[in-house]
Structures are given as structure tokens and as C-alpha cells.
Amino acid sequence: MNRVVVVGAGPAGLAAASAAAELGVEVVLVDAGAKLGGQYFRQDALARGDRFALPLAVEHVANASVWAVEPVEGGHRVHVRIGEADDPSRTGRVLETRALVLATGAYDRAVPFPGWDLPGVFTAGAAQAMAKGQGVAVGDRVLVAGTGPFLLPVAVALAAAGARVVEVAEANAPVAGWLSRPRGAAAGTRRFPELARYAGMLARHRVPYRTRTAVVAAHGSDSVAAATVARLAKDWTPVPGSERRVEVDAVAVGFGFTPQLELAVAARCRIEGGFVAVDATQGTSVPGVFAAGELTGIGGAELAASEGAVAGAAAAKRLGAVVEPPLGAMARVRSGRRFAAALAAAYPVRPGWTGWVRDDTVVCRCEEVPLGRLLEAVDERDLWGVRPLKLASGAGLGMCQGRVCGANVAELVGLDDGVFARRRIAAPLRLGELAGAASTAEEAGGSPASRADQSFGQDLG
Amino acid sequence: MRVRWDGVEVEAREGQTVAGVLMGLGVRSWRTTRGAQRPRGLFCGIGVCFDCLVKVNGVPDVRACRRVVADGDDIRPQSGAELPS
Amino acid sequence: MSPIESADVVVVGAGIVGAACAEALSADGRRVMVLDRGAPAGATTASGEGNVLLSDKAPGPELDLALASRRRWPELLDTLRDELGERLADVEWESKGGLVVAVNPDSVSPLRILTAAQREAGVEVRDLGQAAACAMEPHLTTGVTAAAHYPGDAQVQPVLAATAMLAAVRARGGLVHGGVEAEGLVVRGGRVAGIRVGGTAVPCGAIVNACGPWAGHFSVAAGAPIEVLPRRGMVLVTAPLPAVVGRKVYAADYVAAVSSGDVDLQVSPVVESTATGAVLIGSSRQRVGFDETLEVEVLRRLARSAIRLFPVLAGVPVMRAYGGFRPYTPDHLPVIGEDPRIPGLWHAGGHEGAGVGLAPATGRMLADLMEGRRPEVDPGPFRVARPALMAEVRT
């Protein structure tokens, strides 16, 4: 119990782990990746070594999937599987803590359009992860589309990996033009100095950056062969007659981000407006649980790191460390949030996207539920809640458990998407792993009897 | 290191994911859906969407974007829902 | 909600039992209004596995009701198909049969005694040995010592079933309102005259308490307390799989777990496939009030017990776990009938884990009693005025 457990080793988690360790407490940093950095600081997986150095007091548990957080007397129990992704032979570990820092980040939102289920349509995050982490461009000719400043580094990463980026289609037209005129406007902000750099690089590569433009269809039989882009009205309704066909073999889409809320929900943290509600010390509504980074609002790496530093200090304080309030980091959090609010206002997902979706467009990719079937279920069965909606339509019932479709389905039918984030099993594990999982830290602590217990799954031949 | 993709031996590098190896080979899809038997491959790239499921060493439902290859891995396409062999 | 509405009967609770009562009442021509404080079919019904079981019931009043309900289900689905069309009436009904298996020598003779008695009571059941059981379910453990096959066991998707019945109620002129909390009764001259909702009173002649696990709460608000308590259950859901489990398969000790009143955790495996290919793994029973906190120990025991029956499941992913609350009565019998303390107040509930299976017969019995018809099954054992339910009767 007397340790800080940090989940997630992106900008927020790294800062939290470092801050807590520097205050003299023991820290365990759990992360799904093989290397530190998360999505934002993604490292080249093929290069040797790790470019992040952590204080010695931090134990980094890599390749670790947190599948459950269980509230227990005086704190929380964090259930982890460690080993190769989705492999039945992973080992279990149970961490008990009085100070849990959740820094689980966010993932790209993709809104559906006809053809978005074809191979060759990726999220912007996938294109970036493949380029930066694996050195692979997802296509030869790539259309980058969606909304938000994140599209720029994705386009740059694609170009660096050898792809021809045919166009960046930004669905919004940010006021004050702080990206529509990339070179000048982005230079005006200190917040994302790298954006100016990205904008400059795109200009040098002669990549057109078009605002009020979106991909409204992808074409191909078994893989993307072309896409249709259209000009948009302010509410994102496509302007009739403005459609253009572009010859591409890949489309990378990103419409902002969805926070990975399941662990926070499992810990019973209050969620407000789709994000974890936190106080000035990054404390959630649950004593002993802190949240930092994109979980509390989408604001980029710098804000995430500031929040992480505050959360790490607060978590250390909870364990008895003598802590001066991290006033500098707290001030950076406050100004960062103002910037994040401006960002959110400049790049919202506007309602017109629902007009791109046809009755036969799959909205739930896992269960292959088309829009028509979803709406039929809602209308004919008069569904009022997310649980009946899932069970009656199939949407959100598949392997991703509504991670991809939840926000879209909720918006299409006018329900609150919060229920989709309720995932008691936060990451899938094999039934044999669950059968053999230790349920308490003591049990996992390694008496011979409990080790035998952990191999239960193999005993059953 | 070497791994097998659909029965054929291919080169792979330390740190590559299954998706990295397959995309590097120009393979775009390695799974078909249960319902309409439609092709699927990488989508979210970070372990969230479960579209890139593949069979590794006889075990289905492995996320290709998350699984790092090991020497000798036997990687096969997944057809709909499969049981471990 | 429009304030001018009135109804012959207001059903409180739009779960499977409330929906079945409303369906039966509206089929009698009554003007029915169904209220739910949350989403219709959104609570216990959305957590149900859709059991329509004869196999887990020992001879007695509940088995009689189950037999009547099993006969009623296909008739009800025919009616829904006629009135609503194929699509809405498709409720994933599968008359797949059940297989009860014993996995240790001690369970063999209790199972044979149970099946003999059930056969006597009119249940179709065949005793099987290990080889026949494994031929029926090829992935079943070879450690089976004995088994019993119940061709009459069936499965239905509870949300589809409840929403289809509610659609029929609406089609017959009834009303269904979600997000509306019933605050209490309007009683005039000692009998029900209306229901208080959102600060106004809706006139009605009768009220049906179909609040499931919350039936006890509503009965207190109504001024006529009955003893219905929540009993929590958890279910694991695997990734979609090819056909692995053909029937509803469960261990023989499930029958004992169902009829136990223990407060402590009871886990007994129930394994079945759904239309999507996902396998559902139940069942646990715990009396912990309305506490929804996840307990890994419960999930672990469910996983272990399922692997014991189907070893192949050890390698498949679990993608989801969900919990729900069953409405539990201390004597394990549903309550169906009018409350003698307040004429016009009716209760229909307390089915614990059998509400989906028993819903049609429950609705039918309630409608028969309200109409003054003689019910097919003796309603006596399900009456409200019995010591287990009413503190007043106890003294």
C-alpha cells in the first residue's frame, strides 16, 4: 500500500512518477508499451535503448496491461498482466496502493463515413505510431483528414516515413486563422512551437492544407483505392457539388481524442463532461486517486506533463512525504487549461458529420452494425438507455467494447455516451489467465502455494 | 530474426510488431469479419479497436499492433471467430 | 409526460416482468401505462442471461409456473409476430435445450433423484452417461460423471423480448414512459385511485409493482411493505467464438446454489453461447445490497468453474464482465397477486434469476386474477399474504 502506482508512461505518467520519486517515495510505473513515452513521445521500437531516464526509486513495469482496478479498504488494488500482448502465458501481478495516479491518456476519435471500414483507412494515431515506432508509412499516397492541430505532426511523420501526403483536410476553419495560415499564425503561439515547425515542413513538401474540408467516403473493393473529399458548411454539412475524388491508397483520420476512462470509472471517480473531474492537486472525487493528462481534458503534452508533476507531488504527500506545493507546475496547469479550452473551441466535432453516414454504413466496426439497423432498433423498440441500446442493436457489444463506436453511436441516437466507458474488464485477458490470477497482493507475493495457484490455467489439460 | 507469415518465412527485426512486419511486407489485411467476411487490418494502431486481430502460434485474437514479434513466431490470418488450437 | 393521462392499470417497472404484465393486461383490453424510473429494459433485464429453464427447478409451485411459462413463450412470440411483424418479434428465441452435468461421483445420485422427480412432475428429461453427454457437447470435459438433458430449456434475449412486449403494449394503445419515477400511491376509500408521478397524480384503477430488485423499496413508498431483496450476480462474456457450447450447460450444484439463501458468495458454472457467438459465463450469487463494486475474486471463481466444464475456454479472451441484481424473496417464490392491505395494489416480482423464463406466465396469472378468471396454475403459493413476505403475517 505504501507506494505510488502510476498507470501510463506518457508525458503525464512520466512526470508524475518522477515528481513522486524525487520526493522520496517508492513508485511503480505501469505501462502497456515496451518503452517509455506513450503515444506522444513514441520511441522508435527498432532502435536500441530507451531515451528516457527515470529516477532510481521508480520501478518501470513494461508490457503491462492493467485489466482491473478494485477498490479495497484504504486504497486500490491494481491487477496487471505482464508479458507479450494478448499472450496466454503472461504473468500476473497485483499492486496495492493508497496513492494511485491514472495517466491512461486518450485515443483518436474516428467518425464513420462510407468505406471507413476498408483496409487502408487508419486513425491518424495509427499512421503516426507506424511511422515513428515502426518506420512504416501506412500508404504511398495518403490523405490526412479530420480536425485539430494533431493532423500536422501526423502528416509530417508520414512524409518522413516516405509517403506522399496528398492533402490535409481540416474540417474546421479555426478562427483567428491560427493554423489556416500555418507559417505566420502558428508562430504566434508559445504553446505549440513545434506546430509552426510542422506547418513549415508541410509547406516545403507542398502539402495542401484545406480547411472546411473533409473525407466523406473511401472507395475500393478490398482496400482503399480512392477517397471523396468535400467542402463543408460551418456545421460540417457537405456542400453539394463540392465533392472531389482523390486517388489515394490510404486515409488517416482523426477527429480529436477520446479519453481512456475505464480505470477511472472502475475506481468510481466522478466524470464530468466526458472527462475525469479533478481538483487543484489533480485529485479525483475518490481519495487516493489522482488523474493527469488527457483523462482530465485534451490539452497536449505540455499540459499533461504539468498535471503529472502536480499529481505526483500530491500522491507523494498522501503517503506522508513533506511536499512544498508545486506552484510553478500548478500555474502551468492553469494557463495550459485556458489554452486547452481555446483549442477545444477551435476544433469541435460539429453535428454535420452524421450526414456523411448512410444507412448501410457500418457504425460499429466489431459487430458490423450499419446505421440503418441501429436507428431501426432505437425507433421501433423505443430505446432510452445505452445498455438496452447495445443489447438490442449489437453496437458496442464487440471486442472493442464501444471504444471506437461509443461516442459516435451516442451522438447518432442522442444518448449520453458515459455508459460505454463502464468496462469492468479494462483490457481483455484469457479466461485461463483470469482463473489463475491472484486476487490479492499477498497471494501474488509469491509463496510457493500461490505460485502454483497462478499456473492454474495450465493445470487443466 | 525470422518469422512465418501464412506459412512463408519472412525477415523481421527486433522491436517490430506483427503489424509492422505485415505492413512492411505490403500486407493490408489479415483478418476477415465474422458476419460479412470483410477484410480488416490495422485501424487504430494503439490497441484500442481490436480490428487487427491475428493468430500467433495458434492463438487467435492477438492484436497485431501491440504484439512484438519473437524469432520463429508462426503468424497466420484470422478468419472470423476462431478457437485456440 | 402529459398531465391529462390516465390509465386502467399503471405498471411500475419496465423490465421483463413489468413488460409481460403490461402485455397480458393490454391483451385483455385494459388501458395500460408502464413507467420506469430509468430506461425500459435497462436494469436487471439488461443483465439477464435469458434463461427459460425447467431444469433448475425442483417439483413444486415454481416448476408448475415454469412449465406454464414454457408453454406460453412460443404462443406469446406468435402473437407478437402477428401484431408487430418478424423483425420486432425476433427476440433470439432458441429452444436449444439444457444439459446439467455432474463432475464428481457424489453428485450422480442427487442428480438422478432430481430428474426422476422432475419427470414425475411433467418435465421432459433424459439421463445421460459421460459418453452421451460428451457426444452432445464435444468440448465438454471428459470428467463428467453423469448428465441430464432437458430438451425444453430455452433461451431468449431479454432486452429484445421486453422491448417487443412493450412495443405490443404501445401498439394496443398503451403508454410506456422511461425516466419517470413513481413516488407513491393515491389511495381513496382504502383502495388505489391513482399514482403520484412528478408532482402530479395520474388516476388509475390498479397499480402493479414490477420493480424487480427494487420492489421492496417501492412497496415501502406505497405503504405496503413486502420483503424483496437484491441478490447480486456477475457474468463474464468471452470474445465471439465459433460454436463451442450448443446448449445451456451447467453443473448439477447450480440447483443447490439457486435454492440456497446464503448471504455468502456462491458460484456455480452456467455456460452458454449467444447469437453473436460470445459465450456467457455465470453464475454468482451474493447478498451485498445494491453494491456494484467489482470483485476480482468473483470473476476468478467464475472463470475457474467454466474452464472445469469446458477446458477449451481457458485460451479464449474475456472481453467483458457485468453485474446485476436479482430480486430475491426469503422463501424463493415469486410474488404474484393483489396486496390485501391496499386493494388495487398488485405485486409481480421476486423471481430471482428466473424472471425472464417466468415472465409470460406471471403476466398471464396477474391478468387472470385481475379479470377474475381462474389461473392455469394455482396462485396460492405466490400470494402476497405469506409470512416470508409480510412482516405483519409473521406475528
Side-chain angles (χ1 to χ4, degrees):
Chain A
M1 279 280 180
N2 233 15
R3 56 154 89 94
V4 173
V5 172
V6 179
V7 183
L14 284 173
S18 299
E22 276 155 20
L23 289 162
V25 300
E26 188 191 320
V27 179
V28 182
L29 173 60
V30 183
D31 187 67
K35 292 184 178 183
L36 296 167
Q39 309 307 333
Y40 183 83
F41 292 137
R42 179 174 294 279
Q43 302 194 53
D44 181 351
L46 279 48
R48 290 200 181 280
D50 200 308
R51 67 183 170 92
F52 292 97
L54 284 168
L56 282 177
V58 179
E59 181 197 354
H60 171 213
V61 184
N63 300 317
S65 163
V66 175
W67 66 272
V69 165
E70 188 180 18
V72 292
E73 189 64 39
H76 287 82
R77 212 178 263 155
V78 180
H79 295 266
V80 190
R81 302 302 300 177
I82 304 161
E84 288 301 336
D86 299 326
D87 201 81
S89 69
R90 292 183 296 186
T91 54
R93 187 163 170 192
V94 182
L95 296 162
E96 289 188 346
T97 178
R98 286 196 288 127
L100 174 62
V101 180
L102 298 175
T104 47
Y107 56 89
D108 300 78
R109 177 170 176 193
V111 302
F113 51 87
W116 78 309
D117 51 336
L118 280 172
V121 177
F122 307 92
T123 69
Q128 194 186 40
M130 289 304 285
K132 283 175 75 178
Q134 298 284 312
V136 177
V138 294
D140 294 329
R141 292 175 54 82
V142 187
L143 168 67
V144 176
T147 189
F150 176 60
L151 299 179
L152 295 181
V154 170
V156 168
L158 276 164
R164 168 93 181 95
V165 178
V166 300
E167 179 171 339
V168 175
E170 163 60 60
N172 280 299
V175 247
W178 73 294
L179 283 169
S180 53
R181 284 168 290 129
R183 228 180 261 267
T189 172
R190 290 188 304 108
R191 289 286 157 203
F192 274 146
E194 75 267 34
L195 284 183
R197 217 172 56 239
Y198 292 137
M201 289 183 201
L202 287 183
R204 276 198 302 283
H205 280 103
R206 299 185 182 285
V207 174
Y209 179 86
R210 297 199 173 91
T211 58
R212 289 260 173 93
T213 305
V215 56
V216 295
H219 313 284
S221 52
D222 286 336
S223 183
V224 172
T228 298
V229 292
R231 288 272 298 155
L232 303 179
K234 185 156 194 283
D235 72 345
W236 289 17
T237 307
V239 174
S242 71
E243 294 86 356
R244 281 182 291 124
R245 195 178 162 99
V246 290
E247 303 301 316
V248 290
D249 61 351
V251 180
V253 290
F255 288 85
F257 297 90
T258 305
Q260 300 249 51
L261 288 176
E262 43 278 279
L263 297 181
V265 170
R268 294 184 283 193
C269 300
R270 192 158 51 84
I271 309 296
E272 257 177 30
F275 295 94
V276 180
V278 288
D279 62 20
T281 67
Q282 301 299 129
T284 69
S285 62
V286 178
V289 182
F290 303 85
E294 312 293 57
L295 271 188
T296 70
I298 304 303
E302 193 186 330
L303 173 59
S306 303
E307 290 189 356
V310 174
K317 181 161 188 247
R318 188 169 168 84
L319 296 184
V322 181
V323 178
E324 292 289 320
L327 297 175
M330 289 167 84
R332 286 195 299 279
V333 169
R334 285 194 300 275
S335 65
R337 292 227 176 106
R338 283 193 293 273
F339 175 73
L343 194 70
Y347 299 100
V349 173
R350 298 188 194 270
W353 70 266
T354 57
W356 310 338
V357 187
R358 296 193 316 233
D359 270 1
D360 62 352
T361 305
V362 160
V363 289
C364 165
R365 300 170 64 97
C366 298
E367 296 300 297
E368 302 174 81
V369 180
L371 176 69
R373 183 152 31 109
L374 177 76
L375 297 181
E376 237 164 58
V378 171
D379 292 347
E380 295 182 350
R381 295 183 186 276
D382 196 25
L383 303 173
W384 295 58
V386 169
R387 288 175 76 195
L389 171 71
K390 287 167 66 177
L391 289 158
S393 71
L397 276 186
M399 273 298 270
C400 94
Q401 290 289 294
R403 286 173 173 88
V404 175
C405 73
N408 298 335
V409 165
E411 200 174 328
L412 284 165
V413 305
L415 290 171
D416 173 18
D417 69 346
V419 181
F420 281 100
R422 201 179 152 86
R423 302 180 188 101
R424 291 161 186 277
I425 302 232
L429 72 170
R430 308 277 162 180
L431 201 63
E433 292 182 273
L434 177 54
S439 49
T440 65
E442 296 72 49
E443 216 180 317
S447 73
S450 75
R451 273 200 299 272
D453 203 44
Q454 286 172 42
S455 63
F456 182 87
Q458 282 84 54
D459 288 344
L460 282 156
Chain B
M1 70 168 90
R2 301 182 77 77
V3 299
R4 292 180 81 79
W5 162 240
D6 207 5
V8 179
E9 201 158 271
V10 297
E11 289 286 340
R13 288 173 60 192
E14 189 94 19
Q16 269 188 304
T17 59
V18 171
V21 171
L22 296 181
M23 298 277 288
L25 292 170
V27 179
R28 282 259 172 129
S29 83
W30 46 83
R31 177 175 86 91
T32 51
T33 59
R34 260 169 31 246
Q37 274 89 51
R38 292 292 298 154
R40 294 280 174 89
L42 189 76
F43 180 64
C44 83
I46 58 171
V48 170
C49 77
F50 295 83
D51 241 351
C52 66
L53 299 178
V54 69
K55 271 197 298 188
V56 178
N57 304 326
V59 177
D61 299 326
V62 173
R63 285 168 287 175
C65 70
R66 296 288 326 283
R67 182 57 169 265
V68 176
V69 292
D71 192 29
D73 272 349
D74 180 42
I75 304 161
R76 288 177 186 275
Q78 181 167 338
S79 167
E82 294 195 34
L83 280 178
S85 58
Chain C
M1 207 174 85
S2 143
I4 51 163
E5 286 166 2
S6 70
D8 296 334
V9 186
V10 172
V11 177
V12 184
I16 189 89
V17 170
C21 290
E23 190 283 329
L25 292 166
S26 64
D28 277 345
R30 292 179 191 270
R31 283 185 310 136
V32 180
M33 184 192 298
V34 187
L35 306 179
D36 198 290
R37 63 174 181 174
T44 298
T45 297
S47 305
E49 295 164 277
N51 286 333
V52 182
L53 298 187
L54 303 172
S55 51
D56 66 339
K57 291 166 188 75
E62 203 194 3
L63 180 59
D64 297 339
L65 191 65
L67 283 162
S69 216
R70 178 62 182 82
R71 287 189 293 273
R72 176 71 190 135
W73 261 113
E75 298 166 11
L76 174 62
L77 295 179
D78 284 344
T79 306
L80 295 177
R81 202 171 294 116
D82 290 347
E83 293 182 23
L84 305 169
E86 286 290 340
R87 192 166 65 206
L88 251 176
D90 178 6
V91 298
E92 294 175 9
W93 169 265
E94 274 188 275
S95 121
K96 64 196 329 193
L99 190 68
V100 177
V101 299
V103 284
N104 59 59
D106 298 345
S107 309
V108 178
S109 90
L111 179 60
R112 295 293 181 241
I113 291 168
L114 176 70
T115 57
Q118 288 172 321
R119 210 171 285 119
E120 192 76 9
V123 178
E124 186 185 353
V125 48
R126 291 192 296 135
D127 293 330
L128 304 179
Q130 186 259 338
C134 290
M136 201 168 248
E137 290 289 345
H139 290 284
L140 190 63
T141 172
T142 51
V144 169
T145 50
H149 177 223
Y150 296 81
D153 282 358
Q155 181 170 302
V156 69
Q157 215 266 38
V159 168
L160 294 179
T163 52
M165 289 191 271
L166 293 172
V169 170
R170 281 194 303 272
R172 296 169 191 162
L175 296 165
V176 182
H177 291 295
V180 174
E181 181 139 22
E183 292 143 8
L185 315 187
V186 178
V187 178
R188 247 182 245 123
R191 63 167 297 122
V192 166
I195 189 156
R196 286 190 286 113
V197 173
T200 63
V202 177
C204 64
I207 291 169
V208 180
N209 171 12
C211 296
W214 295 272
H217 289 188
F218 180 75
S219 70
V220 170
I226 55 169
E227 190 93 340
V228 179
L229 304 164
R231 200 177 186 197
R232 189 175 74 175
M234 293 291 300
V235 173
L236 293 173
V237 186
T238 71
L241 302 175
V244 189
V245 183
R247 285 153 200 81
K248 201 164 277 263
V249 180
Y250 60 90
D253 60 359
Y254 175 73
V255 182
V258 170
S259 54
S260 124
D262 276 7
V263 172
D264 291 345
L265 170 65
Q266 312 239 326
V267 174
S268 177
V270 178
V271 184
E272 67 209 283
S273 299
T274 61
T276 65
V279 168
L280 303 184
I281 296 167
S283 71
S284 67
R285 289 175 149 71
Q286 266 174 301
R287 296 248 310 269
V288 289
F290 286 106
D291 185 353
E292 296 192 42
T293 314
L294 170 118
E295 286 175 70
V296 168
E297 177 58 19
V298 176
L299 304 185
R300 174 166 81 155
R301 286 174 59 179
L302 286 170
R304 287 182 165 205
S305 64
I307 293 170
R308 225 165 254 149
L309 288 186
F310 290 97
V312 68
L313 292 178
V316 313
V318 185
M319 63 175 184
R320 187 157 74 101
Y322 64 85
F325 299 100
R326 306 178 181 89
Y328 167 87
T329 59
D331 61 359
H332 298 284
L333 282 178
V335 49
I336 307 164
E338 190 170 23
D339 197 303
R341 296 163 292 188
I342 307 178
L345 172 64
W346 298 70
H347 302 282
H351 299 78
E352 203 173 334
V356 175
L358 299 178
T362 299
R364 175 58 74 83
M365 180 179 284
L366 185 97
D368 286 344
L369 291 171
M370 214 179 265
E371 200 68 31
R373 288 186 301 251
R374 186 191 150 90
E376 182 186 353
V377 175
D378 175 14
F382 310 107
R383 71 192 182 281
V384 181
R386 57 188 212 250
L389 291 185
M390 278 171 52
E392 301 92 296
V393 179
R394 207 173 287 154
T395 52

